[in-house]
Amino acid sequence: VLPRTSQHVLKLWNIRTGALTKTQSNFYANCIQFDKTRLIGAKERRLKVWDLKTGGCTRTLRGHPAAITCAAMTDELVLSGDESGVLHVTHLPSGNCWRTAQMHDKPIVALQANSRMMVTASIDQVKINTFKWPLLPAHQQPPAAVASPASGAK
């Protein structure tokens, strides 16, 4: 359980035992996501990745044109949406932004992802996309003649 406080402190609790396992001070984020080893938190136009064991920040990701509103993780990808409707897909091990896409005309307010698909939502629509060609880095893109299986899907 990861409650956010107004004192800019993040507290990590063991949900089974109720024990406080970690406290992180100077934590500024308007959205957070975590898995067993990492936590991502976004503030303004940057996203930070923390190691849950050490509590240290391992990476800072930048590049959004507007304030980040939501984020999601898969094993190797961090997806983040912002107030301008832009989605960033970043390869976490390298820190390289693989793709940016204008997903919505309004702010992305919710985002979920797994290894096969992602769902983004703005205040007026929801989009479901598969992770076939759109999320591969440019050097791994298929030839231009090959159509993306998700092309035209809304």
Side-chain angles (χ1 to χ4, degrees):
V1 178
L2 295 160
R4 192 178 126 202
T5 69
S6 60
Q7 293 86 19
H8 305 291
V9 174
L10 179 85
K11 294 185 177 189
L12 178 62
W13 301 84
N14 182 314
I15 201 162
R16 289 191 185 116
T17 66
L20 177 64
T21 59
K22 190 150 317 263
T23 300
Q24 177 73 41
S25 58
N26 295 321
F27 184 87
Y28 301 87
N30 57 1
C31 67
I32 55 175
Q33 289 289 322
F34 66 97
D35 61 16
K36 291 181 180 182
T37 61
R38 304 166 299 185
L39 171 107
I40 57 172
K43 176 71 173 167
E44 297 171 358
R45 295 185 303 168
R46 69 179 183 272
L47 191 129
K48 292 191 175 233
V49 182
W50 284 273
D51 182 301
L52 285 178
K53 257 186 208 174
T54 66
C57 179
T58 60
R59 190 174 297 279
T60 299
L61 307 172
R62 292 180 174 86
H64 270 276
I68 297 170
T69 54
C70 53
M73 276 190 297
T74 68
D75 288 340
E76 291 193 345
L77 300 177
V78 172
L79 295 89
S80 50
D82 71 24
E83 289 180 344
S84 66
V86 171
L87 174 81
H88 275 229
V89 179
T90 303
H91 181 246
L92 195 52
S94 69
N96 293 328
C97 181
W98 277 4
R99 289 283 171 261
T100 59
Q102 184 72 47
M103 297 299 291
H104 298 274
D105 294 329
K106 296 189 166 115
I108 299 175
V109 295
L111 169 63
Q112 287 292 316
N114 63 26
S115 61
R116 296 183 327 254
M117 64 188 304
M118 70 175 168
V119 178
T120 61
S122 67
I123 60 171
D124 62 348
Q125 72 183 164
V126 173
K127 292 186 178 182
I128 301 171
N129 294 294
T130 58
F131 278 178
K132 202 67 171 175
W133 303 119
L135 299 183
L136 293 175
H139 69 278
Q140 292 180 6
Q141 287 294 308
V146 176
S148 168
S151 63
K154 296 206 182 221

